[in-house]
Amino acid sequence: MKKLIRITTVPLSLDKLLEGQLRYMSAHYEVVGVSSEASYLERVAKREGVRCHPVSMTRKITPFQDLKAVYQLYRFFRKEKPFIVHTHTPKAGLVGMLAARLAGVPHRLHTVAGLPLLEANGIKRLILNAVERLTAFCATKVYPNSKALCQIMIQERLAPAQKLSVIGAGSSNGIATAYFSRAHFSAETLTELRETLGLSSAFVFVFVGRLVADKGIHELVAAFQALHEKGVACQLLLVGPLESELDPLQATTLEVIAEHPHIFTTGYQNDVRPYFAIADALVFPSYREGFPNVVLQAGAMELPSIVSDINGCNEIIEHGVNGLIVPVKSVQPLFEAMYTLVTDLDLRNQMQANARSSITQRYEQQVIWEAILEEYRTFDRDE
């Protein structure tokens, strides 16, 4: 059986962004998962039923540590002789593709699920541009996980067009719609959760993700404050961890989150489904994404979504059909969309009715997995 090595910078990405996919591929290839944080990686590998190999990688610009990771991966590839190395996340892509090229791995694949460089300026932007171009140079194929992201990569000259392709309708892993379903939760369970969190019966907006500036949290908090100043009865539920190192929130925003009586936080949650189930709408005003799983999950849980007009989000959401699309980094349009969802019951019910079917018809997980496997099999046929 030919060997497939899948690599992410941190095992959380293997765990959440690619959940189930390694196990599926292991029926067709000998699969090895590679990431940092050995103990976490071991748990993921055990669940997926595959072998794992830890390599220390960082998410920051750390040249000496990155060179060490390249060397360790090079030695590992020379020993394992994989048929395919497939990387995800920027740092894993850089070190993984460089090491795979040096080791002579025949099929070097990299999935792009977002471009941090789009929010960078100056020297940092130049460095990140160079990193993406080097990653693409070392790869034999590059897979942006949305059609718009593919066009951005071509426009920014980050990779040759002939190396780029989008698998299926987009997304790196699709969504298990049977799992992301309200059917798993009784009314009693949801009532108990609302009471535990301190939520009232008023409208609940939910945000799921890292609480960082790039996710539009500053604009979201400002728009929510404006709603309350207008006398709109609603609540904001923030589900996800603060990340103070890479992209911290401003002190003023943190203060509002901590002190506003109608903003509730949960921290990181391993299972986000109950929080979708007690909410009335997702609000996700991110600055940049690849193909956001959160929007897929919310739709499968029958929530209309307010998203920013960026690649990925504007491919999942059709304005006025299963959600609303607003300009990126804009408080007033976000406020108006949130106000509309609270006050226009007919529109909200219509979008809610369309939410789940819009996901099941296009992004069912099994369909995405089969499309990725078919891509791998093209390499078998080329041998």
Side-chain angles (χ1 to χ4, degrees):
M1 189 177 284
K2 292 177 179 177
K3 193 170 295 180
L4 164 66
I5 296 179
R6 301 291 293 268
I7 311 177
T8 62
T9 309
V10 295
L12 178 65
S13 300
L14 281 179
D15 187 16
K16 298 302 179 185
L17 300 183
L18 299 177
E19 183 175 0
Q21 193 176 135
L22 273 63
R23 178 177 290 278
Y24 176 82
M25 295 301 171
S26 68
H28 308 276
Y29 296 90
E30 180 186 346
V31 178
V32 183
V34 174
S35 193
S36 51
E37 301 174 41
S39 60
Y40 189 168
L41 176 62
E42 187 67 45
R43 295 196 302 272
V44 176
K46 185 176 180 180
R47 184 197 69 206
E48 297 286 328
V50 302
R51 185 156 58 93
C52 69
H53 180 75
V55 172
S56 180
M57 290 176 276
T58 71
R59 294 169 63 194
K60 297 181 179 179
I61 299 172
T62 52
F64 293 110
Q65 289 173 269
D66 298 344
L67 286 172
K68 182 179 178 181
V70 169
Y71 177 67
Q72 291 175 334
L73 286 169
Y74 166 79
R75 292 188 61 188
F76 183 63
F77 296 156
R78 293 286 290 178
K79 175 186 174 185
E80 296 286 334
K81 296 179 173 55
F83 181 63
I84 299 171
V85 169
H86 190 168
T87 58
H88 299 256
T89 66
K91 182 60 68 68
L94 174 63
V95 300
M97 289 295 94
L98 183 54
R101 181 181 173 89
L102 292 172
V105 176
H107 302 289
R108 306 179 300 274
L109 318 179
H110 177 57
T111 290
V112 179
L115 291 170
L117 62 86
L118 296 177
E119 292 301 319
N121 296 295
I123 296 298
K124 185 177 181 181
R125 174 67 179 258
L126 293 175
I127 292 172
L128 293 176
N129 278 350
V131 164
E132 288 294 334
R133 288 173 181 142
L134 178 57
T135 301
F137 174 78
C138 293
T140 53
K141 290 279 298 220
V142 179
Y143 302 104
N145 70 349
S146 78
K147 295 173 183 176
L149 188 58
C150 184
Q151 291 303 311
I152 290 171
M153 293 191 71
I154 293 171
Q155 291 164 9
E156 297 288 330
R157 299 180 180 177
L158 299 176
Q162 63 269 25
K163 279 191 179 184
L164 296 168
S165 61
V166 178
I167 295 176
S171 175
S172 300
N173 203 38
I175 182 168
T177 57
Y179 179 77
F180 282 93
S181 169
R182 286 180 176 266
H184 295 290
F185 304 97
S186 67
E188 293 77 14
T189 298
L190 299 181
T191 297
E192 183 179 344
L193 178 57
R194 290 182 76 108
E195 290 174 351
T196 300
L197 292 170
L199 294 170
S200 71
S201 59
F203 191 100
V204 176
F205 288 106
V206 66
F207 168 90
V208 176
R210 295 176 297 117
L211 305 185
V212 295
D214 272 8
K215 294 295 184 182
I217 300 299
H218 296 305
E219 291 81 1
L220 172 55
V221 169
F224 183 77
Q225 283 183 291
L227 281 175
H228 268 271
E229 289 170 4
K230 193 177 178 65
V232 177
C234 60
Q235 301 160 101
L236 176 60
L237 179 60
L238 302 174
V239 181
L242 284 167
E243 197 167 90
S244 57
E245 292 185 6
L246 292 178
D247 188 21
L249 295 176
Q250 298 169 3
T252 51
T253 299
L254 288 170
E255 183 178 354
V256 174
I257 291 172
E259 297 182 0
H260 199 291
H262 299 289
I263 296 180
F264 303 83
T265 60
T266 71
Y268 173 79
Q269 296 295 320
N270 190 52
D271 186 358
V272 297
R273 294 175 302 162
Y275 302 94
F276 285 128
I278 60 173
D280 297 287
L282 172 74
V283 58
F284 194 71
S286 182
Y287 295 176
R288 59 173 182 85
E289 293 291 328
F291 208 86
N293 283 336
V294 166
V295 182
L296 296 176
Q297 293 165 358
M301 296 292 293
E302 302 176 35
L303 291 186
S305 296
I306 299 172
V307 300
S308 45
D309 192 8
I310 58 171
N311 60 275
C313 289
N314 57 18
E315 294 172 55
I316 300 168
I317 299 302
E318 184 178 351
H319 187 76
V321 176
N322 58 343
L324 299 173
I325 301 174
V326 299
V328 68
K329 301 182 184 180
S330 300
V331 173
Q332 183 62 26
L334 180 59
F335 159 79
E336 292 170 0
M338 293 172 75
Y339 180 82
T340 296
L341 271 188
V342 176
T343 58
D344 191 336
L345 181 60
D346 289 341
L347 177 62
R348 185 169 81 239
N349 287 342
Q350 175 187 325
M351 293 191 295
Q352 183 178 0
N354 294 330
R356 183 170 170 83
S357 61
S358 71
I359 302 303
T360 58
Q361 291 170 8
R362 295 180 291 166
Y363 303 112
E364 182 60 57
Q365 193 166 70
Q366 189 75 16
V367 174
I368 300 297
W369 289 353
E370 289 171 358
I372 296 171
L373 178 59
E374 180 57 30
E375 184 74 6
Y376 289 166
R377 283 175 168 161
T378 63
F379 309 134
D380 292 329
R381 293 194 286 268
D382 291 341
E383 289 294 296

